[in-house]
């Protein structure tokens, strides 16, 4: 726990950046102030693959123990009640589903877009770091050698979950309500069954506006609402992007990457390697939060190879069709050619 506490402090409190993001209050083991409702994964505040898998696995073991102590799992007369509803189909959610399947619980994963959608939206060939390196994975969802890059990680995770028939539906849960001793997962639009997935006894959830469950695990990520710069020209959809899918699409173009975290540094490196002319703008005078590996790559590309322009202590002030303006901390303006 000391390692996790130190990492959380470094990630969220040692280097504050603007208005702190409000996260739910989560106790040890994913418990919340609502008995029977648990939060795991990215939403709990520590976005690490191993910790997400371990949290998803362990919370279902805890739920299984609770249900066993309260009369066992749902009976045949409770055919329209899940033992556990899992909201979110990422690593934590599917780790929970895998453990629920193993323990014989009646479960269902509600995923708004597609399984592992956060990883799907990573840039092509993004390197995957499985920190902490000395920590093992609890449960049956594991990471193998091919998981060192995005495409291999997706293949690895899908082979162990979706391809093995774990039960999930396409359905966005807007919120959860208490219904006596049960919960109701509220679905604004009817859930649909993905191709090739046999829901079995959980098929009652299809078309339902509300699905009852004895326990709920919230395992959603936090990547849906990206931060905006709030500057003129940011609405130019033909040239302003908030996710990098394929760096090769920008080969031979002048590209500005804004940010100083791992995502920004990894995007800049990928774009340079794909043949783009890249400038990286960061509002502070030095990098503090990115992984050492990413900082070393940036230093190599700027100082040794000269393939990357680095503009520290700068903020974007305006975006135009062929140019971008950057202001430094002294108020001086720098104009870049920009595609």
């Amino acid at each position: 726990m000391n390692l996790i506490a130190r990492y959380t402090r470094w990630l969220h409190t040692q280097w504050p950046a603007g208005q702190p993001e409000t996260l739910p209050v989560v106790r040890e083991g994913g418990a919340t102030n609502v008995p029977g409702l648990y939060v795991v994964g990215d939403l709990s505040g520590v976005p690490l693959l191993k910790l997400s898998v371990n949290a998803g696995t362990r919370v279902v073991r805890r739920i299984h123990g609770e249900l066993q102590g309260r009369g066992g799992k749902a009976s045949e007369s409770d055919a329209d009640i899940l033992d556990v509803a899992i909201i979110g189909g990422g690593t934590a959610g599917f780790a929970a589903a895998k453990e629920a399947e193993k323990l014989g619980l009646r479960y269902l994963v509600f995923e708004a877009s597609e399984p592992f959608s956060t990883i799907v939206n990573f840039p092509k060939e993004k390197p995957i770091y499985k920190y902490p390196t000395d920590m093992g994975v609890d449960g049956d969802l594991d990471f193998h050698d091919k998981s060192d890059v995005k495409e291999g990680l997706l293949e690895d995770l899908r082979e162990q979950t979706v391809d093995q028939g774990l039960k999930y539906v396409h359905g966005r849960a807007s919120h959860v309500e208490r219904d006596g001793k049960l919960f109701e997962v509220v679905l604004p639009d009817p859930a649909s069954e993905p191709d090739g997935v046999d829901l079995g006894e959980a098929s009652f959830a299809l078309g339902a506006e509300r699905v009852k469950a004895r326990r709920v695990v919230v395992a959603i990520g936090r990547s849906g609402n990206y931060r905006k710069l709030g500057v003129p020209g940011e609405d130019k959809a033909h040239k302003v992007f908030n996710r990098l899918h394929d760096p090769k699409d920008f080969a031979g173009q002048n590209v500005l990457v804004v940010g100083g975290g791992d995502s920004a540094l990894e995007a800049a490196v990928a774009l340079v390697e794909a043949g783009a002319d890249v400038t990286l703008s960061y509002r502070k005078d030095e990098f503090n939060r990115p992984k050492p590996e990413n900082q070393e790559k940036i230093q190599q590309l700027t100082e040794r190879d000269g393939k990357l322009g680095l503009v520290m202590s700068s903020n974007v002030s305006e975006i135009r069709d062929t140019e971008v303006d950057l202001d430094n901390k002294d108020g001086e303006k720098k104009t870049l050619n920009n595609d």
Side-chain angles (χ1 to χ4, degrees):
M1 287 302 295
N2 288 336
L3 173 64
I4 297 174
R6 291 200 305 271
Y7 179 83
T8 302
R9 177 180 177 274
W10 173 81
L11 183 65
H12 293 289
T13 62
Q14 189 174 0
W15 312 111
Q19 185 67 28
E21 182 177 6
T22 302
L23 295 175
V25 176
V26 181
R27 305 187 182 111
E28 185 177 357
T32 67
N33 62 332
V34 180
L37 188 145
Y38 298 86
V39 172
V40 296
D42 193 5
L43 191 62
S44 66
V46 186
L48 294 178
L49 288 170
K50 287 183 179 179
L51 295 182
S52 292
V53 169
N54 288 351
T57 299
R58 292 167 184 170
V59 77
V60 169
R61 290 176 183 169
R62 175 173 177 170
I63 288 171
H64 179 259
E66 291 176 354
L67 296 181
Q68 290 292 93
R70 290 170 171 77
K73 299 172 292 183
S75 65
E76 292 301 321
S77 61
D78 297 326
D80 61 345
I81 299 175
L82 298 171
D83 289 317
V84 55
I86 303 167
I87 302 174
T91 50
F94 271 105
K98 198 170 182 70
E99 191 68 15
E101 178 88 15
K102 178 179 179 179
L103 295 175
L105 295 175
R106 183 179 294 162
Y107 74 93
L108 188 60
V109 177
F110 297 86
E111 168 53 43
S113 54
E114 63 177 305
F116 309 109
S117 61
T118 296
I119 299 172
V120 169
N121 286 312
F122 283 170
K124 286 188 176 182
E125 300 178 2
K126 169 183 165 65
I128 303 299
Y129 302 102
K130 297 180 281 293
Y131 291 135
T133 55
D134 58 348
M135 174 183 285
V137 174
D138 202 356
D140 296 331
L141 185 60
D142 206 347
F143 305 103
H144 304 99
D145 290 342
K146 62 183 175 182
S147 294
D148 290 340
V149 295
K150 167 204 167 173
E151 290 76 10
L153 175 62
L154 271 177
E155 181 182 350
D156 200 8
L157 291 173
R158 286 168 172 165
E159 286 176 351
Q160 298 177 72
T161 57
V162 175
D163 293 351
Q164 292 186 9
L166 293 186
K167 303 176 181 65
Y168 77 97
V169 293
H170 292 308
R172 182 180 69 86
S174 62
H175 62 287
V176 177
E177 295 180 1
R178 173 76 77 179
D179 180 21
K181 295 182 179 180
L182 300 174
F183 292 97
E184 285 190 338
V185 178
V186 181
L187 305 166
D189 302 306
S192 61
E193 185 174 13
D195 293 338
V197 176
D198 182 8
L199 296 184
E201 61 184 6
S203 61
F204 70 87
L206 294 177
E209 296 180 356
R210 293 171 177 261
V211 177
K212 295 182 183 294
R214 305 174 77 185
R215 298 290 187 274
V216 173
V217 174
V218 179
I220 59 176
R222 293 187 291 145
S223 63
N225 297 320
Y226 52 82
R227 293 178 62 184
K228 292 187 176 182
L229 299 173
V231 300
E234 189 175 11
D235 58 349
K236 293 182 180 295
H238 68 284
K239 67 172 295 181
V240 179
F241 305 91
N242 294 283
R243 283 178 175 153
L244 177 64
H245 293 284
D246 189 350
K248 296 183 179 66
D249 292 340
F250 302 91
Q253 299 184 37
N254 295 313
V255 181
L256 175 69
V257 177
V258 182
D262 282 309
S263 294
L265 270 61
E266 289 169 4
V269 170
L271 286 161
V272 168
E273 292 176 345
D277 185 358
V278 182
T279 300
L280 178 63
S281 166
Y282 184 41
R283 60 191 175 83
K284 295 187 177 181
D285 56 5
E286 63 180 12
F287 298 116
N288 291 314
R289 294 178 56 176
K291 299 179 182 70
E293 297 95 327
N294 287 331
Q295 296 194 52
E296 290 171 7
K297 289 179 182 178
I298 291 295
Q299 183 176 5
Q300 176 182 331
L301 290 174
T302 52
E303 297 181 359
R304 189 190 313 168
D305 298 341
K307 295 181 178 179
L308 175 69
L310 196 59
V311 186
M312 306 299 286
S313 301
S314 64
N315 290 282
V316 178
S317 58
E318 185 174 354
I319 301 170
R320 296 184 294 279
D321 285 338
T322 60
E323 295 177 329
V324 171
D325 287 341
L326 301 178
D327 291 345
N328 66 18
K329 60 183 178 182
D330 296 323
E332 299 171 341
K333 189 181 298 292
K334 180 183 182 71
T335 298
L336 304 176
N337 292 328
N338 181 260
D339 297 311

